[in-house]
């Protein structure tokens, strides 16, 4: 007889430790064609070829559009920018642009919260519904959705109808933009006609037929351009003779004189057109463009959703069913089942996936390059080994983040890195493979240039002012600048007499935070974040919140409590900061709280208001600087002097009427010609065509509209070039509009 013990494993145990998983990947073929390989190769920025227009489901600024175009062709695209610059919005637009061209996309981030933000951005866009995956709860929910969510099919002709509607919507926007361009060009021609009016009789004598009706000015300008190449001189003389004949000019009229006369004739024709319309007014076109933009985004989103659905044949549906079955299995069985799923069919049925980096290896089949594009957000907070499983599953990569936000934390030792680099013969990449120091964003920036988004869309100027100056060297252009908020003090500081107990909790600040929350919830605030640098304080505030406030109060106020690390990537209408520290705390604790990356997050989460609770009478370091910044109300936002005479004279007349206009008012990267009114009544006034052309003029309109501005016209031709008349009529228009608004 033998006595003993034994262990029977019904299924083979599979390790999901990162290192073991990556060693397994190293034995697979096709890895060299993945985004991970592209990250460590020397790639030049790809030139954008072909169509340089983005017609998407989301509105884009010029810098955001440039990032989308780059992501179409580059092996690695890096999108960077400060808080509130629209990085998540841009990454969502990149993903939808890829889906529109028939590609599949995986979007991933370090935290569930950041992945949820990405998913919400895609859902708001209204295109194909993204597949969300993350922890075990989400995995089961995903299995249920996949089991029931593919029954819908496209009706016959539905995709063709939506595609036709999409193209019509894009064409409608283009027609309106052309009409705007024609109107602005006429205004410029009229301005030139007024300036050179004394020369007009002489020009008529030189080219009388050019001043008649039905003249083809484009043809005349073309004939007067010099020819080059073989027989260029002869061809130029022939073209000049033809231009003289069309304009009725004598044979001895030189090219320069004839060209000046043709320009004058074109200006005279513009005067007639503009006068017939009562001057240049673009209000109707602005309204039409806003409607057409909104309709176009909606039409593209509807087409995208149906496009994704139309690709679900029998093979893709079987792949989705197999995935749903695998997700309901245990880990080992799930990984075996995932190996048998047809990835090409799977991404054809479901082209858009959003989840956490930690769950990529556990959810998705281990197939190199199964996605056409992998998008990773908050990459400054992501280390390279964590990102590797996602990058291995994509052919190209887009990496988004902000190197001035919280950095990644790595537990890999420097000695281990040196030994690995030496053992694998990768000394040429040693700087990029320094995993403890180099985040995924850093590695991406070393592989490709960074597309920076510098326009800030979130915070009131007083709220972002400290971070803009202290952490971003003043490179943030504030689209939130408006007289209703630009000069408003949005940070208040509450001093309490508190100390930290042996658990690290400042109870006095906890009490002050709860009292403030009750007041703001009662005042109707519906999005409040409570943030503190210290974990113990965050836990104490959260427990007090649950103990003292009702569930209804918490949900009504949209209250969320966390450390700075926990709220990175989030935003709130209002933020309550509990500093927790006191003058008696150790220098090491203050050094932790004064970390620049931590404060870059802490000070940029609120859209409208920050309430700081502190027990420190003599705060030191960056926190001390921030509290001193909070105590100083912002000064009035200044513009610049106008570059043209009409705007200068109009501003002077409005000042005489007591309206205190501002010229060259900064809004993002733009300058508004004239701002009239105070606080909420302020409006932007266009006084001339944008000097950079029609595209810039329209882009400024869109930026101002997105920032909540109302725009008016005050072009000289509307008022017979009389600034006094313009000031009176404009003042009357604005007063009537203000009286009619609630």
């Amino acid at each position: 007889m033998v006595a003993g013990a034994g262990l029977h494993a019904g299924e083979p145990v599979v390790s999901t430790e990162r290192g073991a998983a990556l060693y397994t990947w190293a034995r697979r073929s096709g890895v060299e064609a993945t985004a991970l390989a592209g990250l460590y190769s020397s790639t030049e920025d790809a030139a954008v070829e072909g169509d340089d227009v983005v017609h998407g489901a989301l509105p884009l600024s010029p810098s955001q559009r440039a990032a989308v175009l780059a992501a179409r062709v580059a092996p690695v695209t890096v999108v960077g920018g400060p808080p509130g610059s629209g990085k998540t919005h841009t990454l969502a637009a990149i993903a939808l642009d890829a889906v529109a061209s028939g590609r599949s996309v995986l979007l991933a981030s370090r935290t569930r919260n950041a992945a949820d933000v990405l998913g919400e951005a895609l859902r708001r866009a209204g295109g194909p519904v993204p597949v969300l995956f993350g922890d075990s709860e989400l995995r089961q929910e995903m299995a249920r959705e996949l089991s029931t969510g593919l029954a819908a099919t496209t009706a016959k002709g539905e995709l063709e109808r939506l595609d036709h509607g999409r193209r019509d919507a894009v064409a409608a926007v283009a027609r309106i933009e052309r009409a705007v361009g024609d109107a602005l060009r006429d205004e410029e021609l009229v301005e030139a006609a007024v300036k050179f009016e004394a020369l007009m009789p002489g020009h008529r004598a030189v080219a009388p037929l050019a001043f008649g009706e039905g003249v083809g000015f484009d043809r005349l300008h073309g004939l007067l351009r010099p020819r080059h190449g073989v027989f260029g001189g002869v061809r130029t003389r022939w073209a000049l003779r033809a231009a003289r004949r069309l304009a009725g000019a004598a044979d001895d009229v030189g090219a320069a004189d004839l060209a000046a006369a043709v320009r004058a004739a074109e200006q005279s024709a513009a005067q007639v057109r503009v006068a017939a319309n009562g001057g240049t007014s673009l209000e109707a076109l602005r309204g039409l463009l806003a409607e057409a933009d909104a309709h176009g985004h909606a039409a593209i989103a509807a087409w995208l959703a149906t496009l994704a659905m139309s690709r679900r044949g029998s093979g893709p549906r079987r792949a989705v069913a197999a995935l749903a079955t695998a997700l309901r299995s245990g880990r080992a069985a799930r990984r075996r089942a995932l190996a048998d799923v047809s990835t090409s069919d799977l991404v054809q049925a479901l082209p858009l996936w959003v989840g956490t980096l930690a769950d990529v290896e556990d959810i998705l089949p281990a197939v190199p390059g199964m996605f056409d594009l992998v998008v990773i957000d908050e990459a400054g907070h992501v280390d390279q080994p964590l990102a590797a499983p996602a990058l291995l599953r994509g052919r190209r990569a887009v990496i988004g983040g902000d190197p001035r936000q919280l950095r990644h934390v790595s537990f890999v030792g420097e000695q281990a890195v040196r030994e690995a680099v030496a053992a694998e013969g990768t000394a040429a990449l040693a700087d990029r493979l320094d995993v403890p120091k180099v985040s995924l964003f850093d590695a991406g920036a070393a592989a490709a240039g960074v597309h920076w988004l510098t326009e800030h869309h979130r915070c009131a100027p007083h709220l972002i002012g400290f971070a803009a100056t202290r952490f971003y060297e003043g490179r943030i252009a504030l689209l939130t600048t408006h007289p209703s908020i630009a000069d408003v003090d949005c940070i208040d500081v509450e001093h309490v007499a508190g100390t930290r107990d042996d658990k690290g909790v400042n109870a006095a600040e906890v009490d002050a935070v709860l009292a403030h929350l009750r007041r703001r919830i009662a005042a109707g605030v519906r999005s409040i974040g409570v943030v503190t640098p210290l974990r113990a304080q965050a836990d104490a505030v959260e427990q007090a919140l649950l103990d003292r406030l009702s569930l209804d109060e918490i949900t009504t106020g949209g209250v969320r409590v966390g450390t700075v690390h926990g709220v990175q990537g989030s935003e709130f209408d209002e933020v309550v900061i509990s500093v927790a520290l006191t003058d008696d705390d150790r220098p090491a604790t203050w050094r932790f709280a004064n970390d620049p990356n931590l404060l870059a997050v802490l000070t940029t989460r609120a859209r409208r208001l920050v309430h700081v609770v502190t027990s420190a009478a003599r705060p030191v370091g960056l926190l001390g600087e921030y509290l001193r910044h909070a105590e100083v109300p912002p000064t009035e936002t200044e513009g610049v002097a106008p570059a043209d005479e009409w705007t200068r004279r109009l501003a002077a007349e409005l000042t005489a009427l007591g309206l205190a206009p501002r010229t060259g008012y900064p809004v993002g990267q733009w300058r508004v010609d004239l701002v009239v009114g105070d606080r909420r009544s302020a409006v932007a006034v266009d006084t001339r065509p944008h000097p950079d052309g029609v595209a810039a003029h329209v882009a400024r309109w869109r930026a101002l509209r997105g920032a909540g501005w109302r725009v008016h016209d005050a072009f000289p031709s509307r008022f017979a070039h009389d600034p006094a008349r313009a000031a009176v009529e404009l003042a009357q228009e604005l007063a009537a509009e203000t009286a009619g608004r609630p």
Side-chain angles (χ1 to χ4, degrees):
M1 179 180 295
V2 178
L7 172 66
H8 170 71
E11 295 179 338
V13 178
V14 180
S15 170
T16 57
E17 192 270 332
R18 287 190 218 168
L22 291 177
Y23 274 120
T24 302
W25 274 98
R27 295 192 293 270
R28 290 192 172 92
S29 61
V31 170
E32 66 282 355
T34 66
L36 185 70
L39 184 65
Y40 300 107
S41 63
S42 298
T43 59
E44 298 293 331
D45 288 346
V48 178
E49 299 178 355
D51 187 7
D52 62 351
V53 178
V54 179
H55 299 302
L58 293 169
L60 298 171
S61 70
S63 61
Q64 291 170 339
R65 186 175 295 107
V68 173
L69 290 172
R72 288 177 174 176
V73 294
V76 177
T77 304
V78 183
V79 180
S85 59
K87 290 188 296 295
T88 299
H89 181 92
T90 305
L91 297 181
I94 288 172
L96 292 174
D97 186 69
V99 172
S101 63
R103 299 171 181 171
S104 55
V105 186
L106 167 64
L107 299 98
S109 189
R110 180 185 181 94
T111 64
R112 165 85 178 269
N113 176 63
D116 288 345
V117 171
L118 278 170
E120 181 58 29
L122 291 167
R123 288 180 183 273
R124 281 199 308 269
V129 177
V131 179
L132 303 179
F133 65 89
D135 51 28
S136 59
E137 180 184 346
L138 266 182
R139 186 166 61 245
Q140 295 305 317
E141 179 61 27
M142 179 178 163
R144 286 191 292 271
E145 287 187 2
L146 294 180
S147 297
T148 60
L150 292 189
T153 57
T154 55
K156 185 177 181 180
E158 178 71 3
L159 182 62
E160 184 178 354
R161 181 184 68 80
L162 290 172
D163 187 36
H164 184 72
R166 172 185 68 103
R167 294 176 185 276
D168 283 352
V170 170
V173 171
R175 283 195 300 274
I176 297 169
E177 289 177 338
R178 284 196 299 272
V180 172
D182 291 343
L184 291 174
R185 176 167 172 74
D186 275 356
E187 182 66 22
E188 289 177 328
L189 290 170
V190 169
E191 283 300 292
V194 172
K195 182 177 181 179
F196 299 108
E197 186 175 4
L199 298 176
M200 199 65 72
H203 290 315
R204 285 182 179 273
V206 169
L209 295 183
F211 287 81
E213 293 184 3
V215 177
F217 291 106
D218 288 341
R219 185 183 178 196
L220 278 171
H221 289 311
L223 289 171
L224 290 168
R225 281 195 291 269
R227 270 63 177 169
H228 303 284
V230 180
F231 304 117
V234 174
R235 292 164 55 227
T236 298
R237 290 192 293 274
W238 286 348
L240 178 58
R241 282 199 295 270
R244 287 175 182 142
R245 186 172 61 255
L246 288 173
D251 292 341
D252 60 348
V253 172
D257 287 340
L258 183 55
V262 170
R263 286 196 299 271
E266 190 174 17
Q267 294 161 7
S268 178
Q271 278 185 305
V272 173
R273 289 193 299 271
V274 171
N277 293 324
T280 299
S281 176
L282 303 180
E283 182 178 357
L285 287 174
R286 267 194 308 276
L288 290 174
L289 183 62
E291 291 179 8
D293 280 343
H295 177 67
H297 295 316
I300 292 168
W303 168 74
L304 267 176
T306 304
L307 177 67
M309 196 182 303
S310 69
R311 296 170 177 160
R312 296 171 180 171
S314 57
R317 283 198 293 272
R318 283 196 301 273
V320 171
L323 175 62
T325 301
L327 292 176
R328 287 190 288 267
S329 306
R331 176 171 293 171
R334 178 167 66 249
R335 293 175 70 83
R336 286 199 305 272
L338 288 174
D340 297 330
V341 174
S342 170
T343 54
S344 59
D345 284 342
L346 186 62
V347 297
Q348 184 176 337
L350 302 167
L352 201 55
W353 294 65
V354 182
T356 55
L357 288 165
D359 291 291
V360 165
E361 193 71 34
D362 216 25
I363 293 291
L364 296 173
V367 176
M370 68 175 285
F371 290 95
D372 295 298
L373 181 66
V374 171
V375 179
I376 299 180
D377 196 9
E378 301 288 355
H381 199 43
V382 174
D383 67 2
Q384 297 175 65
L386 178 62
L391 295 171
L392 284 162
R393 288 171 168 83
R395 298 186 184 94
R396 294 183 298 107
V398 172
I399 296 170
D402 177 4
R404 292 172 178 82
Q405 297 277 289
L406 289 171
R407 301 284 296 172
H408 74 294
V409 177
S410 175
F411 298 100
V412 178
E414 293 185 11
Q415 180 61 30
V417 172
R418 287 194 294 270
E419 291 175 356
V421 168
E424 299 297 333
T426 55
L429 295 172
D431 57 337
R432 211 173 300 179
L433 292 173
D434 190 355
V435 173
K437 297 187 182 74
V438 179
S439 70
L440 175 64
F441 185 91
D442 300 329
V450 180
H451 292 268
W452 285 102
L453 311 175
T454 57
E455 288 190 318
H456 181 80
H457 303 257
R458 179 193 298 164
C459 306
H462 191 211
L463 297 180
I464 193 65
F466 179 78
T469 302
R470 197 65 179 78
F471 307 127
Y472 296 96
E473 297 80 42
R475 292 189 298 140
I476 299 179
L478 304 184
L479 271 170
T480 53
T481 307
H482 187 281
S484 64
I485 194 66
D487 312 329
V488 176
D489 186 347
C490 297
I491 310 174
D492 58 82
V493 181
E494 179 182 355
H495 294 274
V496 299
T499 59
R500 293 174 67 210
D501 60 22
D502 56 358
K503 295 181 179 179
V505 175
N506 189 324
E509 290 194 16
V510 173
D511 294 339
V513 167
L514 266 291
H516 180 79
L517 285 175
R518 282 198 177 97
R519 291 192 296 270
R520 299 310 294 162
I521 293 170
V525 182
R526 295 296 176 261
S527 172
I528 308 176
V530 182
V531 190
T532 177
L534 306 179
R535 164 54 59 192
Q537 188 73 2
D539 291 343
V541 172
E542 187 170 40
Q543 188 59 52
L545 187 75
L546 296 172
D547 292 343
R548 304 184 207 175
L549 268 63
S550 68
L551 180 61
D552 183 62
E553 286 178 300
I554 296 171
T555 55
T556 299
V559 182
R560 181 181 162 199
V561 181
T563 63
V564 180
H565 293 75
V567 301
Q568 175 159 296
S570 301
E571 59 184 85
F572 309 91
D573 287 343
E574 297 186 8
V575 165
V576 184
I577 297 174
S578 176
V579 176
L581 301 179
T582 69
D583 296 333
D584 297 328
D585 275 302
R586 293 176 300 174
T589 308
W590 276 100
R591 280 196 298 272
F592 169 79
N594 277 313
D595 178 77
N597 296 85
L598 184 143
L599 282 174
V601 177
L602 178 68
T603 60
T604 57
R605 299 303 98 195
R607 288 184 285 262
R608 301 176 187 168
L609 183 70
V610 168
H611 181 82
V612 183
V613 180
T614 180
S615 303
R618 299 180 302 278
V620 296
L622 284 172
L623 259 175
E625 291 183 31
Y626 177 69
L627 292 175
R628 288 188 286 276
H629 164 81
E631 299 284 9
V632 179
T635 57
E636 182 174 308
T637 302
E638 297 291 341
V640 295
D644 65 297
E645 183 67 12
W646 169 255
T647 304
R648 187 191 66 76
R649 294 173 63 194
L650 177 57
E653 295 292 345
L654 289 167
T655 301
L657 294 176
L659 293 180
R662 309 185 203 189
T663 59
Y665 191 82
V667 180
Q669 64 172 306
W670 308 103
R671 290 281 179 175
V672 179
D673 296 337
L674 202 62
V675 171
V676 184
D678 195 21
R679 302 299 183 194
R680 291 180 59 82
S681 66
V683 299
V685 181
D686 285 347
T687 61
R688 60 175 180 154
H690 196 286
D692 292 337
V694 176
H697 201 102
V698 173
R700 183 174 63 181
W701 275 0
R702 288 183 169 123
L704 292 173
R705 183 207 313 155
W709 282 83
R710 291 172 293 136
V711 182
H712 279 252
D713 296 321
F715 295 112
S717 63
R718 273 189 65 196
F719 310 101
H721 297 79
D722 182 349
R725 173 189 162 189
V728 172
E729 293 188 16
L730 185 61
Q732 291 172 344
E733 286 178 15
L734 299 181
E737 181 182 290
T738 301
R741 294 176 70 234

